Amino acid sequence: MKNKESRVGNMAVRDEIIKTLEENRGTYLSGEQLAKKLSVSRAAVWKAIRKLQEDGFAIEGVNNKGYKLAEDTDVLSVQGMAKYLDVECPVRLEVFRCINSTNLALRERTQEEEGLVLAAMEQTNGLGRLGRSFMSPANTGIYFSILLKPQIANQEVTLLTTIAAVAVCEAIEKYTDKKPQIKWVNDIFIDSHKVCGILTQAAFQMENLDPEYVIVGIGINLYMPTEGFGKELENIAGSVLQEQSGDIKNKILAETLNRYFYYYKNFAKKEFIAEYKKRSLVLGKGIRVVTKDGERKATALDIDDMCHLLVEYEDGTRENLSTGEISIRLQ
């Protein structure tokens, strides 16, 4: 047995145990069953179970019954997401308990193939738009970044953010009763509070300016942090849910990826534009267009196929706004 165990590292044992428990969620499996399946000792199983419990997995152990993963466990894991990913969803997942930033970590691995997704239960240096930070407390949200190598024109890269906004909304709608809306261009709101931010970063080839790689980072506030979001964000930030819901992290992250890669693989059809407009928080409303030169009042009229926002100012002039240094505020 010792020789067999030497071929199975501690991490591999934990991964296989949580995979098996996820596949049998709510059902007891004996330590003997798990040990036999993994070709390790009962002691190795017990040690791995203890470590998984420390990592937040609600694994119950009962004499003469064994171990089971509680039905309402809500811990992000590769094995947990696998159950909800479409077969054709081309992703390779890695999950971290804590990381500085999934975007920063992924930027160090851009030489890898498209479809690498880094996810975390906490970020210590989450990145937001225009150099801001993105609050990413432990266990209350999901934070992840997707590596893409798109064959599209450079001016179309912003549409990869549009896809992300739609995918997040559709995932939330599938697993909750919430009706998220999109504040142009990349923020998701529920009940007038921001619950998701999206940051897209790209590198372009010098000879033709085509995208070399794109990283789409997404942060979703699923629950309110115990101590709230702090004074600076208390009137802005919100959460998708008020109470814990079993396995919602794995469900929403997996479904976001399912929807994202559906639209990505069918990019030329631009089906996501109609879905984006359907969920717009700003169309038909008064807004303030904010630039480095100040603010102007306007009305949001339409969103075109490049996700430009058509606005009409108080003097009757119109403008198509693109992303960049321009932002908007609801009046």
Side-chain angles (χ1 to χ4, degrees):
M1 183 66 74
K2 189 173 274 188
N3 288 337
K4 289 182 180 178
E5 284 180 29
S6 68
R7 295 197 296 268
V8 184
N10 291 336
M11 185 62 72
V13 172
R14 290 200 294 272
D15 287 347
E16 286 301 318
I17 286 178
I18 198 59
K19 177 183 178 182
T20 303
L21 292 177
E22 279 284 7
E23 291 170 348
N24 297 274
R25 184 179 278 242
T27 301
Y28 283 103
L29 298 175
S30 71
E32 184 178 355
Q33 285 176 286
L34 292 169
K36 186 175 181 180
K37 178 180 173 65
L38 275 65
S39 296
V40 297
S41 67
R42 294 277 298 275
V45 169
W46 179 82
K47 184 176 180 181
I49 292 287
R50 287 289 299 274
K51 185 63 175 69
L52 288 166
Q53 290 170 330
E54 291 172 7
D55 288 344
F57 289 94
I59 300 174
E60 302 171 9
V62 176
N63 287 337
N64 300 319
K65 283 189 175 182
Y67 305 100
K68 76 171 181 179
L69 185 63
E71 292 278 10
D72 60 353
T73 297
D74 189 29
V75 177
L76 199 64
S77 72
V78 172
Q79 298 81 5
M81 280 183 278
K83 297 181 298 182
Y84 306 111
L85 281 174
D86 293 341
V87 175
E88 63 271 20
C89 188
V91 298
R92 303 182 314 286
L93 298 165
E94 294 183 19
V95 175
F96 301 84
R97 287 187 66 189
C98 182
I99 200 170
N100 62 343
S101 159
T102 57
N103 265 38
L104 290 175
L106 200 52
R107 275 166 58 181
E108 297 177 359
R109 299 176 62 178
T110 55
Q111 75 283 359
E112 298 188 34
E113 292 183 5
E114 178 176 83
L116 178 61
V117 178
L118 303 186
M121 293 178 274
E122 178 184 7
Q123 293 183 120
T124 57
N125 186 30
L127 303 180
R129 187 167 172 265
L130 301 179
R132 304 186 187 101
S133 62
F134 186 87
M135 187 177 177
S136 315
N139 303 319
T140 62
I142 48 179
Y143 320 104
F144 57 106
S145 299
I146 308 166
L147 177 62
L148 303 171
K149 304 286 181 72
Q151 303 296 311
I152 59 177
N154 58 13
Q155 64 267 28
E156 294 179 309
V157 167
T158 55
L159 294 178
L160 299 178
T161 303
T162 306
I163 294 176
V166 172
V168 169
C169 286
E170 291 183 338
I172 291 172
E173 290 163 1
K174 179 172 181 176
Y175 288 112
T176 76
D177 60 356
K178 304 300 181 180
K179 301 298 180 186
Q181 293 180 287
I182 304 168
K183 177 180 172 244
W184 187 87
V185 61
N186 61 349
D187 292 333
I188 310 299
F189 276 64
I190 292 177
D191 299 330
S192 302
H193 287 83
K194 179 178 173 179
V195 300
C196 172
I198 301 165
L199 176 66
T200 300
Q201 299 176 305
F204 298 90
Q205 300 174 29
M206 293 189 64
E207 61 272 15
N208 55 19
L209 294 183
D210 285 345
E212 180 179 342
Y213 67 81
V214 177
I215 295 173
V216 179
I218 300 171
I220 305 173
N221 304 327
L222 287 177
Y223 309 119
M224 288 290 290
T226 305
E227 298 178 358
F229 289 105
K231 284 189 176 182
E232 186 178 347
L233 298 174
E234 63 182 356
N235 295 320
I236 301 171
S239 61
V240 177
L241 299 170
Q242 299 303 311
E243 297 179 354
Q244 184 167 320
S245 177
D247 214 21
I248 197 70
K249 293 187 178 79
N250 288 319
K251 289 176 178 176
I252 286 185
L253 202 160
E255 185 61 18
T256 299
L257 295 175
N258 289 336
R259 300 308 301 160
Y260 193 96
F261 278 95
Y262 167 78
Y263 290 121
Y264 181 66
K265 287 187 289 186
N266 295 280
F267 185 85
K269 296 180 180 179
K270 293 188 177 178
E271 298 172 86
F272 51 87
I273 292 293
E275 297 301 324
Y276 186 97
K277 290 175 66 172
K278 188 189 301 183
R279 295 168 177 82
S280 174
L281 181 62
V282 302
L283 288 182
K285 295 182 179 179
I287 61 173
R288 293 177 182 271
V289 178
V290 184
T291 69
K292 61 182 185 331
D293 298 320
E295 297 185 5
R296 294 181 68 185
K297 290 184 178 181
T299 301
L301 300 179
D302 198 8
I303 294 170
D304 68 17
D305 283 351
M306 290 299 293
C307 206
H308 296 152
L309 181 67
L310 175 63
V311 302
E312 182 174 278
Y313 295 107
E314 290 182 303
D315 61 5
T317 60
R318 294 185 175 189
E319 184 179 8
N320 256 329
L321 304 180
S322 60
T323 58
E325 294 304 311
I326 296 173
S327 60
I328 64 169
R329 297 172 185 163
L330 293 175
Q331 290 186 24

